Amino acid sequence: LKVLSKDLSEKRDKFKENFIIINQVKSKLKLSDLEFKKIKILRYVLFSSMYCDELYTYCAYKAKPFLEEISKRYKITYTQLINMTHFEIQGLFEGRLSDKLVNNINMRIRDSVYLSRNKKIIILVGKKLEKYLEIYHATSEQIKNDKLIEGESACPGIVKGVVQLIEKIADIKKFKKNCILVTSTTIPQYLPAMKKAKAFITDEGGLLSHAAIMSREFKKPCIIGTKIATQVLKDGDLVEVDANKGIVKKLNK
């Protein structure tokens, strides 16, 4: 907590320094008081969001030894533990870990979808997952021949390369260097593949999503919020990623 407090204080002080500079050039920008106030609010929002993302990653890293000790004491794997809900972990502490639940957790690790409905998290695996994916991809046949995909640019740049999809964590080990990473959305576990990729394309996300933040960190072209990239593109497709305009073009080999 002391380390986090010190880190937050340093970031806050740096943030204040930036505002002093902005105040000095306010007259040159010819901004009204209302416009300047909106800019300040926006900067606070962006700073807070990015810091929360950093804090989450830092806490997850620091918590790993503690979680590994829990998994050791309760005779489950670390991967199984981090794929459990907080209610299931509470049940683990109370001795309610059934073979059925362990099997369900193993199915989540292999392939799963997490949905938020009415403020509740629903985890789909097995036949329920298959049915959901059939509905989700129902329109894919209609858009397979689209050669132009549009999204929002998160980090500029133009590159050409071969597509490789990541649909689940197991795909990360198979990812090849200098391919174009295409996925629904990225999470911290995707970092090994993201470091190898030429560019990122996602179905979902905004300018403060994990993919957007990491693309700027790695200085790699990134297009987010395409909605259909994982349906239109397949492994081996040759594409041009124009992250200056937010456009992905399928090219003929």
Side-chain angles (χ1 to χ4, degrees), residues 106-195:
N106 290 335
M107 292 175 70
R108 292 177 202 171
I109 295 170
R110 289 193 294 270
D111 203 2
S112 59
V113 166
Y114 287 67
L115 301 177
S116 177
R117 291 179 179 170
N118 299 322
K119 298 182 179 181
K120 292 183 179 180
I121 299 298
I122 299 174
I123 307 172
L124 301 181
V125 296
K127 291 184 179 180
K128 290 183 178 179
L129 174 60
E130 291 176 6
K131 186 175 181 180
Y132 170 80
L133 292 176
E134 285 178 7
I135 297 172
Y136 182 80
H137 295 298
T139 59
S140 62
E141 291 299 324
Q142 301 173 12
I143 58 178
K144 269 186 179 178
N145 295 323
D146 285 6
K147 292 189 175 182
L148 189 67
I149 302 169
E150 295 182 340
E152 186 174 7
S153 175
C155 186
I158 302 176
V159 296
K160 292 181 182 179
V162 175
V163 165
Q164 188 168 349
L165 272 73
I166 290 185
E167 297 179 311
K168 51 186 179 294
I169 293 177
D171 295 336
I172 297 171
K173 294 181 180 179
K174 305 173 187 176
F175 195 85
K176 299 177 182 177
K177 189 175 182 180
N178 290 327
C179 281
I180 308 296
L181 193 160
V182 178
T183 187
S184 296
T185 186
T186 67
I187 54 178
Q189 288 92 325
Y190 285 16
L191 285 177
M194 297 175 80
K195 291 178 181 178

Side-chain angles (χ1 to χ4, degrees), residues 24-128:
Q24 291 173 347
V25 299
K26 178 184 176 183
S27 58
K28 293 182 180 180
L29 295 175
K30 297 180 180 179
L31 297 174
S32 68
D33 290 340
L34 179 59
E35 289 172 330
F36 187 64
K37 185 176 181 180
K38 289 180 179 179
I39 290 176
K40 290 178 72 173
I41 292 172
L42 179 60
R43 285 177 66 88
Y44 276 120
V45 170
L46 292 176
F47 169 80
S48 300
S49 180
M50 292 179 69
Y51 182 74
C52 285
D53 186 74
E54 290 180 14
L55 189 62
Y56 168 79
T57 303
Y58 179 78
C59 290
Y61 170 73
K62 287 294 185 180
K64 188 174 181 181
F66 174 67
L67 296 175
E68 286 176 336
E69 181 62 25
I70 291 176
S71 64
K72 181 180 178 181
R73 293 191 183 190
Y74 286 88
K75 298 180 180 180
I76 60 174
T77 67
Y78 170 78
T79 304
Q80 288 174 326
L81 181 64
I82 62 174
N83 278 277
M84 295 172 68
T85 67
H86 63 285
F87 291 115
E88 290 167 347
I89 293 175
Q90 181 179 340
L92 174 68
F93 295 153
E94 296 171 354
R96 293 185 281 109
L97 183 67
S98 64
D99 291 339
K100 183 178 179 181
L101 176 58
V102 171
N103 182 58
N104 188 282
I105 293 169
N106 290 335
M107 292 175 70
R108 292 177 202 171
I109 295 170
R110 289 193 294 270
D111 203 2
S112 59
V113 166
Y114 287 67
L115 301 177
S116 177
R117 291 179 179 170
N118 299 322
K119 298 182 179 181
K120 292 183 179 180
I121 299 298
I122 299 174
I123 307 172
L124 301 181
V125 296
K127 291 184 179 180
K128 290 183 178 179

